[in-house]
Amino acid sequence: MEHRELERSVDAALRAQPMRRAPPGLTARVLEQIERRRAAPWWRKGFLHWPWAARGGLLLASAAAAGLAVAATTWLAEAVRSAPVPEALGRFASALHGAATLASTLGRTAAELLPAASPALLHFAAIGAMLAYALVFGIGAIAYRTLYLNR
Amino acid sequence: MPVQNRDARPATSDAFVAFVHAYQDMVFSIAARMTGNDTHAQDIAQEVFLKAYDHFAQLRTSPAAGGWLKTVTTRLTLNYLSRYRRRWQLFSELRAEDAAAAEDPAPEFAADDPVQADVESHQRRVLIEQALRELPEHQRLPLFLYHFEELSYEQISRLLRISLPKVKTDIHRARAALAKALGEQL
């Protein structure tokens, strides 16, 4: 069938299609939902449905929280600038340095070993990595289906 | 029993029920044909009428209520489908819900008079609905928007955020699939 002819035939067939009949329970579902929404307490509705006092209270509380956050940040920055680095921070920085050194050593070793390895070994390693990934993926999927979907 | 809408203007439940009855077939048809799934379509139709309820004070007397409902239904269905697509479908509802869609009962039509309906034309209508339902979403949506909503290729391309050539290809393939499914009945 030609493009134009096909378009015309499909268009005619679809335009002649009457509306589908809605399921008989739809109106009841809608009314029930409206009733449920009306019965919900104000704090479970959207912000625009809250009483004026509650809206004003939330805005004031938000402004106070923002002010406190700014004041706390300023105070913390000032304290860090004026005091020596606490011991805990020093330990954290040292652990970070250790991890960076380890990663760098591993990277250097891999760079030296890889050119020497045979292509077959590399292929096996790649396949092994993919299989391990698929295994973890499969375990995740099974766990999701079993623990989450069947709740 | 009187019900109140968001603007706290009184709206009789009878008036709103009449409004839902007047438009429910249209809203449901749009959602069902776009999603290809009656269960999703019911959820969307419910959401549309809840929005309509919030604006009922304006809609009840507006001659543009039908157009408003059409636009809202199309928009909500597209949102619904994109939310659904974003879910982790591989593991979850995809198979189950597709199976449910396949088990949807044969469609009923608002215009059919059970006594006078011509059996042959009724069967043809059912066949068309089933063929539409079986199209993949990326073909069904542009086809619906082109033939039912009368949007141009360019408008569909913008609305669905896909390229113009892809819109044309998908619509052409959808037409070909429909023609194949309907055979001599087209």
Side-chain angles (χ1 to χ4, degrees), chain B residues 33-36 132-133 135-137 139-144:
Chain B
R33 284 172 181 157
M34 284 178 80
T35 58
L132 275 175
R133 198 184 277 174
L135 287 176
E137 186 188 301
Q139 291 179 1
R140 189 176 54 243
L141 275 180
L143 183 87
F144 174 86

Side-chain angles (χ1 to χ4, degrees), chain B residues 75-87 89 137 141 161:
Chain B
R75 194 167 47 79
L76 282 182
T77 308
L78 289 176
N79 288 348
Y80 189 95
L81 287 172
S82 79
R83 272 205 313 268
Y84 176 63
R85 234 178 280 132
R86 275 201 296 267
R87 283 193 223 155
Q89 296 177 338
E137 186 188 301
L141 275 180
R161 293 182 193 157

Side-chain angles (χ1 to χ4, degrees), chain B residues 2-182:
Chain B
V3 291
Q4 299 281 317
N5 64 9
R6 196 177 73 187
D7 303 328
R9 289 175 199 153
T12 61
S13 65
D14 287 349
F16 185 69
V17 169
F19 179 84
V20 175
H21 279 157
Y23 290 108
Q24 62 178 356
D25 290 338
M26 181 192 80
V27 169
F28 178 75
S29 298
I30 294 173
R33 284 172 181 157
M34 284 178 80
T35 58
N37 181 308
D38 288 5
T39 312
H40 291 181
Q42 278 197 64
D43 292 344
I44 293 163
Q46 177 181 311
E47 216 176 315
V48 170
F49 283 117
L50 287 177
K51 279 199 184 300
Y53 182 75
D54 287 340
H55 298 90
F56 191 52
Q58 295 88 47
L59 286 177
R60 65 187 303 185
T61 52
S62 168
W68 185 90
L69 283 169
K70 251 184 157 184
T71 309
V72 170
T73 309
T74 307
R75 194 167 47 79
L76 282 182
T77 308
L78 289 176
N79 288 348
Y80 189 95
L81 287 172
S82 79
R83 272 205 313 268
Y84 176 63
R85 234 178 280 132
R86 275 201 296 267
R87 283 193 223 155
W88 202 11
Q89 296 177 338
L90 181 61
F91 296 140
S92 54
E93 302 91 326
L94 182 64
R95 284 174 180 276
E97 291 192 14
D98 283 353
E103 286 163 12
D104 275 344
E108 287 183 35
F109 298 98
D112 272 356
D113 178 336
V115 182
Q116 296 182 340
D118 168 3
V119 175
E120 203 174 310
S121 69
H122 176 79
Q123 281 173 346
R124 183 170 179 265
R125 288 166 180 173
V126 171
L127 203 61
I128 291 175
E129 290 297 331
Q130 281 168 348
L132 275 175
R133 198 184 277 174
E134 279 161 22
L135 287 176
E137 186 188 301
H138 66 94
Q139 291 179 1
R140 189 176 54 243
L141 275 180
L143 183 87
F144 174 86
L145 294 170
Y146 187 87
H147 288 290
F148 284 102
E149 296 295 303
E150 299 177 21
L151 298 188
S152 66
Y153 291 125
E154 289 76 12
Q155 286 171 316
I156 297 170
S157 161
R158 278 197 298 274
L159 187 66
L160 299 182
R161 293 182 193 157
I162 50 178
S163 70
L164 194 57
K166 177 150 172 58
V167 169
K168 289 182 179 174
T169 308
D170 283 343
I171 292 179
H172 179 68
R173 286 185 180 155
R175 284 180 194 138
L178 273 186
K180 193 177 168 193
L182 296 175

